[in-house]
Amino acid sequence: QVQLVESGGGLVQAGGSLRLSCAASGRTFSINAMGWFRQAPGKEREFVARINWSGGSTYYADSVKGRFTISRDNAKNTVYLQMNSLKPEDTAVYYCAATFRSYMTNYYYTQREKYDYWGQGTQVTVSS
């Protein structure tokens, strides 16, 4: 119904920048919000940021607030994650996710189970 493809991952030095992209296809008109999650080896998948598709409101995890920026390009059905001032602890596989549902509080958008579709992930490695 919805397909998500991430790109833009790679190796970067601490303090550097990287921009991730997530291209959506299929029933994109049904998407309420898209989010970015990340998962490091041996750790739980954690919320990074989300953006509402129509209104464009954003929400960030405290660990990335002020360093990362999520944005969207409606014409291209694409969301981006601009990552600045990268730290070694940012190293993880980054996943794009989409949900058809609408939630009344930001908390629900941070929960993995609230999203319906997921991309394959893209590796981000930050060297010290």
Side-chain angles (χ1 to χ4, degrees):
Q1 194 168 11
V2 171
Q3 296 79 44
L4 305 173
V5 179
E6 303 99 331
S7 62
L11 175 64
V12 65
Q13 293 183 351
S17 298
L18 210 59
R19 189 182 75 160
L20 306 182
S21 299
C22 176
S25 60
R27 305 293 185 182
T28 58
F29 61 88
S30 297
I31 295 175
N32 171 262
M34 298 184 69
W36 287 97
F37 288 72
R38 65 187 183 186
Q39 186 168 23
K43 297 182 179 180
E44 296 286 331
R45 188 171 300 186
E46 66 174 352
F47 168 79
V48 176
R50 76 105 175 93
I51 186 167
N52 285 82
W53 195 243
S54 59
S57 64
T58 59
Y59 183 67
Y60 299 90
D62 289 340
S63 59
V64 306
K65 190 175 180 64
R67 299 188 298 122
F68 291 10
T69 302
I70 188 170
S71 62
R72 74 193 197 283
D73 186 332
N74 293 316
K76 296 181 178 180
N77 289 322
T78 301
V79 295
Y80 305 93
L81 186 67
Q82 178 66 47
M83 305 183 294
N84 298 327
S85 301
L86 283 163
K87 306 174 181 179
E89 50 263 46
D90 294 319
T91 295
V93 176
Y94 283 70
Y95 296 90
C96 179
T99 179
F100 284 2
R101 293 165 289 184
S102 176
Y103 303 103
M104 299 187 71
T105 62
N106 289 324
Y107 169 80
Y108 293 103
Y109 288 102
T110 71
Q111 304 301 297
R112 179 194 60 79
E113 65 270 19
K114 301 302 183 183
Y115 291 81
D116 304 299
Y117 303 98
W118 294 84
Q120 79 288 347
T122 185
Q123 177 71 49
V124 172
T125 302
V126 184
S127 62
S128 57

